[in-house]
Amino acid sequence: MLFTIGLIISLGLVSQWIGWKFKIPVIICLLLTGFFVGPVLGVIDPLKVFGQDMIFAIVELSVALILFDGAMQLRFKEFKEVSKGLNRILSIGVIIHFILITGTAKFVMDVSWGFAALLGGILIVTGPTVIIPALREANMNKNVSRYLKWEGILTDPVGAIVAVVVYDAIVLSEKTAAFDVFLALTSILVISLLFSFGAKFLLEKAIKHKFVPEFLQIPFVTTMVAASFVFSNEIQHGSGLLTVTILGLLVGNSKLDILFDIRTFKENITTMAISFVFIIITASIPLSVFKMIELKHMVFIFMVTFVLRVAAIYLSTMNTNLKKREKFLIGFFGPRGIVAASVAAVLSAEMVNSGIVVGEIFLPIVFLVIISTVICHSILLKPICKVLNLESKNSNGIIFIGTMPWVADLALKLKNMGIPVLVTSASWYKLAPFRKLGINCYYGKILDRLETEDFDLSDYSFLMAMSENDSFNILACERFSKYLGVHNVYHLKQSRNFVHDQYQIDKNSYCVLVNSLELRYENLMKYYEYGWNFKDTKLTENYDFQEYLNDNDKSIICMCLRQNGSFEFGSQFDEQPQPGDILISFSPKFSTSENKVSLVGDSA
C-alpha cells in the first residue's frame, strides 16, 4: 500500500509539472497517467490495494476540500455585476441543460429514464479546477470569465445533489413521487445551511477570541471543513458538498485575519488532492469497459460536448445584458472535471454492486465526456475568444506604489499611451494630484486587500514599487510576486551599492538597474528637480534604435513597449527594439533628440 501511495503522489506531481511546462490542461495529464499505470500497464490496482470503501472515502473528502477552496475564490461584489444572467444560468439554465442531456441520453442511447437522469445530473456540472487555469491562459473578457467562474463552482454541488437524489429516488428505491424528491431536496438545503453557517460562526469566534493558538488555526479550519462535510452527509445523504461550498463562500467573504494563510494552504492541498483523485479513479477503471462504447455513445458524447450546453445557455439568458457572442462562448466552454468524475465513480460502483448491469458503462461515458470537453474546449477557447473579440484588452497594466511627482509623470505618460495604470497609497491627500490628472487611484492598505484576495488584478501584469520606504517596496514585491510572478515586480533601490556600470536585473531583490546611472530613488529625486521627465519615443524605419542611442546618451531607458503590447523593463533587451516599438526614458529636459521630433515621433 505504501508503495502505491508514494507512486500515485509522485506521478501526480510529475503530471502537474508536465501540464505547467507544456501548457497542457493538467486534468488530461492526470487522466492519461492514471489510465496507463492502471488498466493499460497494470502497475497499480487501487481497488485491490485500498478497497472500494477507502477509495470512496478519499475521493469524497478530497472533493469536499476542492469545492471549499473554489468557493473561497468567489466574491459577492462580483456576483452583483453578473447576478441577472447568472441567476438564470444557475436556475433555468441548469434545468434546461438537465432536460436536454436526459432526453438526449434516453433517445440517442436508448437507456432507461433513470439512467439518463443520472447522466443529466452529473454532466450539468463544469469543472472549476479546469476552468480557472484556462481562463487565465486565455486572457478572456472579464465579464464572461466571471460568469464561467461562478457557474463552474456553484453548479458542482448542484449536479452532485441532483445525481444523488435521482439515484436514491429512482434507481434504488424507485420512489418517483414528487413529494419524495421535494422532501430530499428540502432536507439537503436545510442541513447544508445549518452546518455551513454554524461552522462559520464557530470559526469566527474561535479565531477572533484566540480560543485556538496561531499554529493550530489552519488545522482547525481544515478539520472544520472535513467535519462539516462528513456529519452533514451522515445526517442527509448528498448534503455534504453543498455544505462545504456554502462554507467556502462565507469564509472567503469574511474578514478573518488568516484568510491568506488559509488560501495558500488550501491551494497546496487542492493541488495534491486533484492529482491523487484523478489518478486513483482512472487507474480503477477496467480496460474492458471501454470496449462497450458504441457509435450511439459517441454521438451522445458529441452532443454533450458541442451542442446541448450552448442551447441551454442561449435559452436561459434571453432578455439579459449578455451579447450573443458572450452567450456562445459561455455555452461552448464547459469542461467537466473532478466532481463529475468522483460522483460518477461512486454511483457506478453502487449500481454494479446493486446488480444494475448498465452501471458498467456509466463511468466510461462520463470519463469520455470529461476527456472530450477538456481537450476540445481548452484547445479551442483562445482562438474562439480571439475570433469573437472577447479577449481582455487591458491585462498588461502597471501598478505603482508611491506618490512622488515623477510617478505621476510616468503614470500619465503610460495612461496617454493606452496602458492601464493604478497608483496606490494609504494617504488620500497624497493621491489628490493623481486624481486631478485623471489617473486611476486606489486608496487604502493594498497589501491587506491583496491578502484577502479582494483586489482585482485582472487588468495588471506588473508592479513598480516606488515609495520612499524601501522596506515596504521590497515587502510589496514579495507579496505581489505570488500573483504577478517574480519577473514582473520591481522596486527602486535606495542604497548606493553600484555593482558596475552595466545594466543588470537582480531578480532576487526585484531591483532594476539601468545604464551608467541607477534608476533608483535618489537619482530620480535629484534629476527630476533638475527638470528631467519621462519621454516616449517611437522607433521608425528612418530612426532606428542605434540612432536613438546616439541622440540620447544621457537618458536612462526605463522600458520598451513592443508592437505586440508586451513590456520589457530596463535598457538591455533580449531582442533589439525594432521600428514600431516605443522606448520610454527618463531624460533631461533638453536633449539632442528634441531637434528630431518629426523623425522620432517623441510625444513629450
Side-chain angles (χ1 to χ4, degrees):
M1 179 182 290
L2 192 60
F3 170 77
T4 302
I5 293 175
L7 184 60
I8 292 174
I9 293 174
S10 301
L11 290 172
L13 178 61
V14 172
S15 299
Q16 292 274 358
W17 183 85
I18 291 174
W20 165 78
K21 182 68 176 177
F22 298 102
K23 306 298 182 184
I24 302 171
V26 172
I27 190 173
I28 295 298
C29 299
L30 295 171
L31 290 173
L32 291 177
T33 300
F35 185 71
F36 278 107
V37 300
V40 175
L41 301 178
V43 177
I44 60 174
D45 185 353
L47 285 173
K48 182 179 179 181
V49 175
F50 300 109
Q52 189 168 282
D53 291 340
M54 178 64 74
I55 290 176
F56 288 168
I58 294 172
V59 168
E60 289 180 339
L61 275 174
S62 299
V63 171
L65 291 172
I66 291 166
L67 281 183
F68 176 78
D69 177 65
M72 284 185 66
Q73 301 178 40
L74 300 178
R75 289 287 163 274
F76 288 144
K77 70 173 185 178
E78 286 184 5
F79 182 79
K80 294 177 182 178
E81 298 177 18
V82 296
S83 58
K84 184 177 180 180
L86 192 61
N87 285 334
R88 296 278 194 89
I89 292 174
L90 294 176
S91 55
I92 300 172
V94 167
I95 295 171
I96 294 175
H97 201 192
F98 173 74
I99 293 173
L100 290 175
I101 295 175
T102 301
T104 303
K106 169 63 180 175
F107 295 110
V108 171
M109 296 192 296
D110 191 25
V111 295
S112 67
W113 281 109
F115 186 85
L118 278 176
L119 283 172
I122 288 177
L123 295 180
I124 60 174
V125 307
T126 53
T129 54
V130 187
I131 286 176
I132 293 174
L135 294 180
R136 281 197 296 265
E137 183 69 22
N139 190 26
M140 188 185 295
N141 174 285
K142 189 187 300 184
N143 186 49
V144 177
S145 66
R146 283 173 177 169
Y147 272 96
L148 288 168
K149 183 174 70 172
W150 273 86
E151 185 216 0
I153 293 172
L154 295 184
T155 56
D156 269 356
V158 172
I161 289 167
V162 171
V164 169
V165 170
V166 170
Y167 182 76
D168 288 342
I170 299 175
V171 178
L172 286 180
S173 61
E174 297 185 356
K175 294 180 180 179
T176 57
F179 177 75
D180 297 316
V181 177
F182 174 77
L183 184 62
L185 290 173
T186 303
S187 298
I188 287 173
L189 182 60
V190 171
I191 295 299
S192 298
L193 289 173
L194 287 175
F195 269 88
S196 57
F197 276 90
K200 193 253 185 178
F201 176 79
L202 290 176
L203 281 174
E204 282 191 333
K205 292 296 181 184
I207 293 173
K208 286 184 177 180
H209 295 284
K210 310 297 183 184
F211 293 147
V212 179
E214 188 172 341
F215 74 95
L216 283 180
Q217 287 179 351
I218 301 301
F220 179 67
V221 173
T222 306
T223 302
M224 287 293 292
V225 174
S228 299
F229 169 77
V230 171
F231 293 124
S232 174
N233 229 29
E234 193 69 23
I235 295 174
Q236 175 59 52
H237 186 47
S239 65
L241 294 182
L242 183 59
T243 297
V244 294
T245 302
I246 297 174
L247 180 58
L249 270 169
L250 296 174
V251 172
N253 286 275
S254 68
K255 299 187 181 298
L256 292 175
D257 294 334
I258 61 167
L259 275 181
F260 180 77
D261 294 329
I262 294 175
R263 288 190 177 93
T264 303
F265 177 75
K266 292 298 179 189
E267 284 175 2
N268 296 331
I269 291 294
T270 297
T271 300
M272 294 188 65
I274 291 170
S275 304
F276 198 87
V277 167
F278 268 112
I279 291 177
I280 202 172
I281 291 177
T282 313
S284 302
I285 305 175
L287 191 60
S288 58
V289 298
F290 288 99
K291 298 177 181 178
M292 302 170 62
I293 298 295
E294 302 174 9
L295 179 60
K296 60 183 181 181
H297 301 127
M298 299 305 295
V299 172
F300 170 76
I301 292 168
F302 175 85
M303 294 292 289
V304 171
T305 303
F306 295 108
V307 179
L308 303 183
R309 177 176 161 82
V310 176
I313 296 298
Y314 261 100
L315 292 172
S316 63
T317 55
M318 295 174 64
N319 299 321
T320 64
N321 59 354
L322 280 172
K323 301 174 183 177
K324 288 184 178 179
R325 53 197 174 99
E326 292 176 331
K327 293 179 183 180
F328 176 81
L329 186 57
I330 294 171
F332 168 79
F333 188 63
R336 277 57 171 185
I338 191 167
V339 172
S342 58
V343 174
V346 173
L347 295 185
S348 176
E350 290 186 5
M351 282 190 282
V352 172
N353 292 338
S354 301
I356 303 173
V357 180
V358 74
E360 295 180 354
I361 196 69
F362 186 72
L363 188 56
I365 290 175
V366 174
F367 262 78
L368 287 175
V369 169
I370 293 172
I371 292 171
S372 66
T373 54
V374 170
I375 293 177
C376 297
H377 294 182
S378 298
I379 291 175
L380 296 175
L381 178 61
K382 199 165 186 176
I384 289 178
C385 283
K386 191 170 185 178
V387 170
L388 296 177
N389 196 27
L390 288 174
E391 291 179 302
S392 177
K393 304 297 183 184
N394 298 317
S395 61
N396 213 25
I398 302 177
I399 298 173
F400 290 94
I401 294 178
T403 54
M404 303 306 295
W406 35 264
V407 174
D409 188 23
L410 177 57
L412 184 61
K413 178 69 65 180
L414 293 170
K415 175 181 178 293
N416 292 336
M417 294 168 58
I419 307 299
V421 293
L422 178 71
V423 178
T424 74
S425 176
S427 170
W428 180 262
Y429 171 76
K430 290 181 179 180
L431 287 173
F434 294 84
R435 291 193 296 270
K436 290 178 181 178
L437 293 173
I439 297 172
N440 192 21
C441 297
Y442 175 82
Y443 165 65
K445 297 180 179 179
I446 192 169
L447 296 188
D448 291 345
R449 294 290 296 275
L450 186 69
E451 291 189 350
T452 60
E453 292 192 1
D454 195 20
F455 184 77
D456 188 3
L457 287 170
S458 57
D459 288 342
Y460 306 100
S461 298
F462 303 98
L463 173 76
M464 296 292 285
M466 294 180 163
S467 76
E468 61 272 19
N469 187 334
D470 195 43
S471 298
F472 181 77
N473 291 339
I474 295 173
L475 177 62
C477 286
E478 290 176 349
R479 297 286 175 82
F480 271 89
S481 66
K482 298 174 183 177
Y483 301 91
L484 302 179
V486 69
H487 300 294
N488 295 331
V489 293
Y490 302 95
H491 78 93
L492 290 176
K493 204 171 186 180
Q494 293 190 342
S495 65
R496 295 183 177 272
N497 297 325
F498 285 82
V499 180
H500 64 67
D501 290 338
Q502 299 297 320
Y503 161 84
Q504 285 190 11
I505 296 180
D506 182 356
K507 291 300 182 185
N508 293 323
S509 66
Y510 315 103
C511 186
V512 181
L513 312 179
V514 290
N515 288 350
S516 59
L517 293 172
E518 288 190 36
L519 183 63
R520 55 189 177 85
Y521 188 83
E522 291 90 343
N523 282 332
L524 279 167
M525 288 287 292
K526 179 173 65 177
Y527 291 114
Y528 189 80
E529 292 296 324
Y530 291 165
W532 287 39
N533 56 13
F534 288 94
K535 299 179 181 180
D536 61 285
T537 305
K538 186 174 183 178
L539 300 181
T540 66
E541 295 290 345
N542 297 324
Y543 193 80
D544 61 15
F545 183 56
Q546 188 57 51
E547 190 171 356
Y548 171 86
L549 291 178
N550 294 337
D551 289 344
N552 295 272
D553 57 317
K554 293 184 179 180
S555 297
I556 303 176
I557 300 176
C558 302
M559 61 187 75
C560 175
L561 176 60
R562 300 287 186 177
Q563 289 190 73
N564 61 7
S566 64
F567 266 115
E568 285 189 51
F569 291 85
S571 62
Q572 302 268 328
F573 308 107
D574 295 333
E575 180 182 342
Q576 182 171 300
Q578 302 296 316
D581 294 343
I582 299 174
L583 296 171
I584 299 175
S585 62
F586 191 51
S587 305
K589 188 173 183 180
F590 300 104
S591 64
T592 308
S593 63
E594 291 286 326
N595 299 321
K596 298 191 177 185
V597 173
S598 59
L599 291 177
V600 178
D602 194 327
S603 62

